[in-house]
Amino acid sequence: MDFRVSHCFILVDDHEKALGFYRDALGCAVRNDVRFEGMRWVTVVPPGQPELEITIETVDSYPGTSPEDKQKLSELLAKGLLRGLIFMTEDVDAAFERIRATGAEVVQEPMDQAYGVRDCAFRDPAGNMIRINQPAKYPPGRG
């Protein structure tokens, strides 16, 4: 049996600010930008993995959500507490420098982790954590 992730969703407070990060800083391509009955959702695909669609949506994308719950979700976004995505690359240091040059908020500069990756982290404009990693050259304990 073969399973692969084809879609994931990330909640943001502003589509345009999010596109400035996902499209312009990370290099994702916009696949869809759909507006329907007052809602909007945008899908982007990361470079090198066009089969994975990341849907960027706001709290307005959930028509059945109460105004109180939308307010609570918006407050969580404002706190920057939402977990985000982890991307993999072959050169995390080069990716870090390219993304940092766009003005993205740096959370962590590239560093080797004890669990076998070299990674760095950014926050998207809504506060979602975006990590980028590459496998360590040597497995933990063998470097």
PDB file of all heavy atoms in Angstrom, residues 19-34:
ATOM      1  N   LEU A  19       1.117  35.139   0.622  1.00  0.00           N
ATOM      2  CA  LEU A  19       1.725  34.896  -0.688  1.00  0.00           C
ATOM      3  C   LEU A  19       3.108  35.535  -0.789  1.00  0.00           C
ATOM      4  O   LEU A  19       4.001  34.983  -1.431  1.00  0.00           O
ATOM      5  CB  LEU A  19       0.817  35.424  -1.803  1.00  0.00           C
ATOM      6  CG  LEU A  19      -0.354  34.511  -2.138  1.00  0.00           C
ATOM      7  CD1 LEU A  19      -1.306  35.205  -3.110  1.00  0.00           C
ATOM      8  CD2 LEU A  19       0.140  33.193  -2.717  1.00  0.00           C
ATOM      9  N   GLY A  20       3.279  36.664  -0.148  1.00  0.00           N
ATOM     10  CA  GLY A  20       4.599  37.275  -0.129  1.00  0.00           C
ATOM     11  C   GLY A  20       5.640  36.357   0.491  1.00  0.00           C
ATOM     12  O   GLY A  20       6.820  36.414   0.148  1.00  0.00           O
ATOM     13  N   PHE A  21       5.210  35.502   1.377  1.00  0.00           N
ATOM     14  CA  PHE A  21       6.132  34.555   2.004  1.00  0.00           C
ATOM     15  C   PHE A  21       6.222  33.254   1.200  1.00  0.00           C
ATOM     16  O   PHE A  21       7.299  32.845   0.778  1.00  0.00           O
ATOM     17  CB  PHE A  21       5.686  34.258   3.436  1.00  0.00           C
ATOM     18  CG  PHE A  21       6.578  33.292   4.154  1.00  0.00           C
ATOM     19  CD1 PHE A  21       7.802  33.697   4.666  1.00  0.00           C
ATOM     20  CD2 PHE A  21       6.196  31.974   4.305  1.00  0.00           C
ATOM     21  CE1 PHE A  21       8.631  32.798   5.315  1.00  0.00           C
ATOM     22  CE2 PHE A  21       7.011  31.063   4.953  1.00  0.00           C
ATOM     23  CZ  PHE A  21       8.235  31.480   5.465  1.00  0.00           C
ATOM     24  N   TYR A  22       5.077  32.604   0.975  1.00  0.00           N
ATOM     25  CA  TYR A  22       5.101  31.275   0.351  1.00  0.00           C
ATOM     26  C   TYR A  22       5.541  31.332  -1.114  1.00  0.00           C
ATOM     27  O   TYR A  22       6.293  30.483  -1.578  1.00  0.00           O
ATOM     28  CB  TYR A  22       3.738  30.586   0.494  1.00  0.00           C
ATOM     29  CG  TYR A  22       3.499  30.185   1.920  1.00  0.00           C
ATOM     30  CD1 TYR A  22       2.795  31.008   2.791  1.00  0.00           C
ATOM     31  CD2 TYR A  22       4.024  29.012   2.418  1.00  0.00           C
ATOM     32  CE1 TYR A  22       2.617  30.665   4.118  1.00  0.00           C
ATOM     33  CE2 TYR A  22       3.850  28.645   3.740  1.00  0.00           C
ATOM     34  CZ  TYR A  22       3.152  29.486   4.585  1.00  0.00           C
ATOM     35  OH  TYR A  22       2.997  29.139   5.898  1.00  0.00           O
ATOM     36  N   ARG A  23       5.095  32.326  -1.829  1.00  0.00           N
ATOM     37  CA  ARG A  23       5.469  32.448  -3.245  1.00  0.00           C
ATOM     38  C   ARG A  23       6.831  33.124  -3.394  1.00  0.00           C
ATOM     39  O   ARG A  23       7.736  32.567  -4.013  1.00  0.00           O
ATOM     40  CB  ARG A  23       4.393  33.246  -3.987  1.00  0.00           C
ATOM     41  CG  ARG A  23       4.662  33.424  -5.480  1.00  0.00           C
ATOM     42  CD  ARG A  23       3.724  34.432  -6.097  1.00  0.00           C
ATOM     43  NE  ARG A  23       3.848  35.704  -5.381  1.00  0.00           N
ATOM     44  CZ  ARG A  23       2.841  36.569  -5.186  1.00  0.00           C
ATOM     45  NH1 ARG A  23       1.648  36.316  -5.691  1.00  0.00           N
ATOM     46  NH2 ARG A  23       3.034  37.675  -4.522  1.00  0.00           N
ATOM     47  N   ASP A  24       6.975  34.288  -2.791  1.00  0.00           N
ATOM     48  CA  ASP A  24       8.155  35.099  -3.052  1.00  0.00           C
ATOM     49  C   ASP A  24       9.380  34.666  -2.238  1.00  0.00           C
ATOM     50  O   ASP A  24      10.494  34.692  -2.753  1.00  0.00           O
ATOM     51  CB  ASP A  24       7.845  36.569  -2.795  1.00  0.00           C
ATOM     52  CG  ASP A  24       6.660  37.046  -3.633  1.00  0.00           C
ATOM     53  OD1 ASP A  24       6.384  36.436  -4.696  1.00  0.00           O
ATOM     54  OD2 ASP A  24       5.993  38.010  -3.214  1.00  0.00           O
ATOM     55  N   ALA A  25       9.195  34.298  -0.997  1.00  0.00           N
ATOM     56  CA  ALA A  25      10.346  33.912  -0.181  1.00  0.00           C
ATOM     57  C   ALA A  25      10.691  32.431  -0.344  1.00  0.00           C
ATOM     58  O   ALA A  25      11.852  32.079  -0.529  1.00  0.00           O
ATOM     59  CB  ALA A  25      10.082  34.236   1.289  1.00  0.00           C
ATOM     60  N   LEU A  26       9.672  31.553  -0.278  1.00  0.00           N
ATOM     61  CA  LEU A  26       9.941  30.120  -0.381  1.00  0.00           C
ATOM     62  C   LEU A  26      10.040  29.630  -1.823  1.00  0.00           C
ATOM     63  O   LEU A  26      10.553  28.553  -2.076  1.00  0.00           O
ATOM     64  CB  LEU A  26       8.866  29.318   0.355  1.00  0.00           C
ATOM     65  CG  LEU A  26       8.793  29.492   1.871  1.00  0.00           C
ATOM     66  CD1 LEU A  26       7.722  28.562   2.446  1.00  0.00           C
ATOM     67  CD2 LEU A  26      10.136  29.226   2.532  1.00  0.00           C
ATOM     68  N   GLY A  27       9.502  30.382  -2.753  1.00  0.00           N
ATOM     69  CA  GLY A  27       9.582  29.971  -4.157  1.00  0.00           C
ATOM     70  C   GLY A  27       8.477  29.037  -4.598  1.00  0.00           C
ATOM     71  O   GLY A  27       8.585  28.396  -5.647  1.00  0.00           O
ATOM     72  N   CYS A  28       7.395  28.950  -3.835  1.00  0.00           N
ATOM     73  CA  CYS A  28       6.270  28.105  -4.235  1.00  0.00           C
ATOM     74  C   CYS A  28       5.544  28.746  -5.420  1.00  0.00           C
ATOM     75  O   CYS A  28       5.482  29.967  -5.545  1.00  0.00           O
ATOM     76  CB  CYS A  28       5.283  27.951  -3.079  1.00  0.00           C
ATOM     77  SG  CYS A  28       5.937  27.037  -1.666  1.00  0.00           S
ATOM     78  N   ALA A  29       4.973  27.892  -6.263  1.00  0.00           N
ATOM     79  CA  ALA A  29       4.171  28.366  -7.390  1.00  0.00           C
ATOM     80  C   ALA A  29       2.700  28.392  -6.993  1.00  0.00           C
ATOM     81  O   ALA A  29       2.222  27.469  -6.317  1.00  0.00           O
ATOM     82  CB  ALA A  29       4.368  27.452  -8.590  1.00  0.00           C
ATOM     83  N   VAL A  30       1.990  29.408  -7.406  1.00  0.00           N
ATOM     84  CA  VAL A  30       0.552  29.472  -7.146  1.00  0.00           C
ATOM     85  C   VAL A  30      -0.153  28.580  -8.166  1.00  0.00           C
ATOM     86  O   VAL A  30       0.000  28.764  -9.366  1.00  0.00           O
ATOM     87  CB  VAL A  30       0.025  30.919  -7.253  1.00  0.00           C
ATOM     88  CG1 VAL A  30      -1.491  30.946  -7.069  1.00  0.00           C
ATOM     89  CG2 VAL A  30       0.710  31.809  -6.222  1.00  0.00           C
ATOM     90  N   ARG A  31      -0.889  27.608  -7.685  1.00  0.00           N
ATOM     91  CA  ARG A  31      -1.623  26.701  -8.573  1.00  0.00           C
ATOM     92  C   ARG A  31      -3.067  27.153  -8.749  1.00  0.00           C
ATOM     93  O   ARG A  31      -3.609  27.120  -9.839  1.00  0.00           O
ATOM     94  CB  ARG A  31      -1.585  25.274  -8.045  1.00  0.00           C
ATOM     95  CG  ARG A  31      -2.392  24.324  -8.923  1.00  0.00           C
ATOM     96  CD  ARG A  31      -2.062  22.896  -8.729  1.00  0.00           C
ATOM     97  NE  ARG A  31      -0.709  22.621  -9.231  1.00  0.00           N
ATOM     98  CZ  ARG A  31      -0.023  21.535  -8.940  1.00  0.00           C
ATOM     99  NH1 ARG A  31      -0.535  20.625  -8.141  1.00  0.00           N
ATOM    100  NH2 ARG A  31       1.177  21.346  -9.427  1.00  0.00           N
ATOM    101  N   ASN A  32      -3.713  27.557  -7.669  1.00  0.00           N
ATOM    102  CA  ASN A  32      -5.107  27.999  -7.728  1.00  0.00           C
ATOM    103  C   ASN A  32      -5.299  29.202  -6.817  1.00  0.00           C
ATOM    104  O   ASN A  32      -4.687  29.300  -5.758  1.00  0.00           O
ATOM    105  CB  ASN A  32      -6.061  26.897  -7.252  1.00  0.00           C
ATOM    106  CG  ASN A  32      -6.082  25.713  -8.168  1.00  0.00           C
ATOM    107  OD1 ASN A  32      -6.431  25.826  -9.333  1.00  0.00           O
ATOM    108  ND2 ASN A  32      -5.668  24.565  -7.648  1.00  0.00           N
ATOM    109  N   ASP A  33      -6.162  30.078  -7.244  1.00  0.00           N
ATOM    110  CA  ASP A  33      -6.583  31.211  -6.411  1.00  0.00           C
ATOM    111  C   ASP A  33      -8.083  31.324  -6.621  1.00  0.00           C
ATOM    112  O   ASP A  33      -8.544  31.891  -7.606  1.00  0.00           O
ATOM    113  CB  ASP A  33      -5.845  32.480  -6.833  1.00  0.00           C
ATOM    114  CG  ASP A  33      -6.095  33.640  -5.872  1.00  0.00           C
ATOM    115  OD1 ASP A  33      -7.033  33.545  -5.043  1.00  0.00           O
ATOM    116  OD2 ASP A  33      -5.361  34.626  -5.959  1.00  0.00           O
ATOM    117  N   VAL A  34      -8.839  30.735  -5.712  1.00  0.00           N
ATOM    118  CA  VAL A  34     -10.274  30.567  -5.896  1.00  0.00           C
ATOM    119  C   VAL A  34     -11.036  31.490  -4.953  1.00  0.00           C
ATOM    120  O   VAL A  34     -10.746  31.552  -3.760  1.00  0.00           O
ATOM    121  CB  VAL A  34     -10.692  29.098  -5.612  1.00  0.00           C
ATOM    122  CG1 VAL A  34     -12.189  28.926  -5.753  1.00  0.00           C
ATOM    123  CG2 VAL A  34      -9.929  28.153  -6.520  1.00  0.00           C
TER     124      VAL A  34
END
